[in-house]
Amino acid sequence: AIARGTLAVLPAGKKKAQKVAVGDDSGVLNVIYMKKGEVQSEWKSGELGREISCVVLQAGKDKLFVGCGQAIHGFTRKGKEFVKIKTNLTETIHHLFVDENMIWTGGEYIMNIYDQCKDFGFAMIKDRINAMTCAPIAPGDVLSTALACQDKCLRVYAGEKPFHELAVEG
C-alpha cells in the first residue's frame, strides 16, 4: 500500500523521460518511468526498516528525501543513499521540507528543524499538523514554517518561535 504524501515527480532528465518516486508501506522507495506504454523501474532502495510516510524533493534540486518512522534518508537521482539521519523524535515523520542544509520535519504535534543534520529547534503545536511547507515569510535568513492545523488555523513559525496565527473558515 502507498500512503498520502509518498509520491514525488522528479524534474525531467536528459532523456526527457519523466520519473516518479513512490514510497510504500514495506519501506522501499521505487523510482519509475514510462517507456512505450510500459512502466519501467529506474531503481529501488533497499528496505528502510519502516513504512515510508513521506517523500519530498530538495528545494531546487533533484535529491529525494524520505521520512521513514523517525529516520530521514536522502537519495541522489541515481539511487545512491547519501545521508541517513536517525532523529531523537518520538513521533513518526509525516511531513518533510528540505532546503540546502536545512530540514524541517512535522509529526502529529511537533515540528523539528535540523541544520546540517543537527538539531536546530523544535515547537510543540497546539493541534494536529495536517500540512507543512516552508517559505520566506518572516524576516531573517532561515525560511519560515507554515503549518495547516486540525483546528482550522494556519500557523507560521520563524525558527521555533510563533510568528503569525490565522483562523480560517470551513
Side-chain angles (χ1 to χ4, degrees), residues 8-164:
V9 179
L10 282 88
K14 292 178 183 134
K15 296 180 182 174
K16 301 286 186 237
Q18 191 71 61
K19 294 178 182 153
V20 178
V22 182
D24 64 26
D25 286 353
S26 66
V28 174
L29 181 64
N30 193 1
V31 174
I32 57 174
Y33 64 98
M34 297 293 287
K35 185 175 182 180
K36 297 180 183 172
E38 298 286 321
V39 176
Q40 305 289 320
S41 179
E42 177 79 3
W43 57 267
K44 280 185 181 184
S45 71
E47 288 191 17
L48 301 176
R50 292 269 314 265
E51 69 280 354
I52 293 174
S53 52
C54 55
V55 176
V56 297
L57 278 168
Q58 182 175 358
K61 303 254 169 70
D62 57 3
K63 292 182 178 169
L64 289 161
F65 285 82
V66 173
C68 189
Q70 289 79 25
I72 302 164
H73 300 263
F75 294 90
T76 65
R77 177 183 195 90
K78 303 284 186 196
K80 181 180 183 294
E81 186 173 11
F82 67 91
V83 69
K84 180 180 180 183
I85 306 165
K86 288 191 174 182
T87 68
N88 59 356
L89 300 174
T90 54
E91 296 184 334
T92 297
I93 297 169
H94 293 291
H95 311 281
L96 264 177
F97 190 92
V98 182
D99 182 57
E100 295 299 326
N101 295 321
M102 301 284 290
I103 299 175
W104 290 260
T105 66
E108 279 197 69
Y109 295 94
I110 299 175
M111 182 265 301
N112 280 75
I113 307 169
Y114 299 91
D115 185 9
Q116 298 185 9
C117 303
K118 305 265 189 290
D119 271 324
F120 183 78
F122 79 97
M124 287 280 300
I125 311 304
K126 292 179 187 173
D127 206 346
R128 178 172 284 130
I129 300 169
N130 289 336
M132 179 185 90
T133 193
C134 296
I137 299 169
D141 296 333
V142 177
L143 291 177
S144 301
T145 312
L147 303 168
C149 299
Q150 186 69 33
D151 61 358
K152 299 179 186 171
C153 275
L154 292 174
R155 293 183 171 88
V156 177
Y157 283 80
E160 56 190 343
K161 295 183 175 45
F163 179 73
H164 190 69

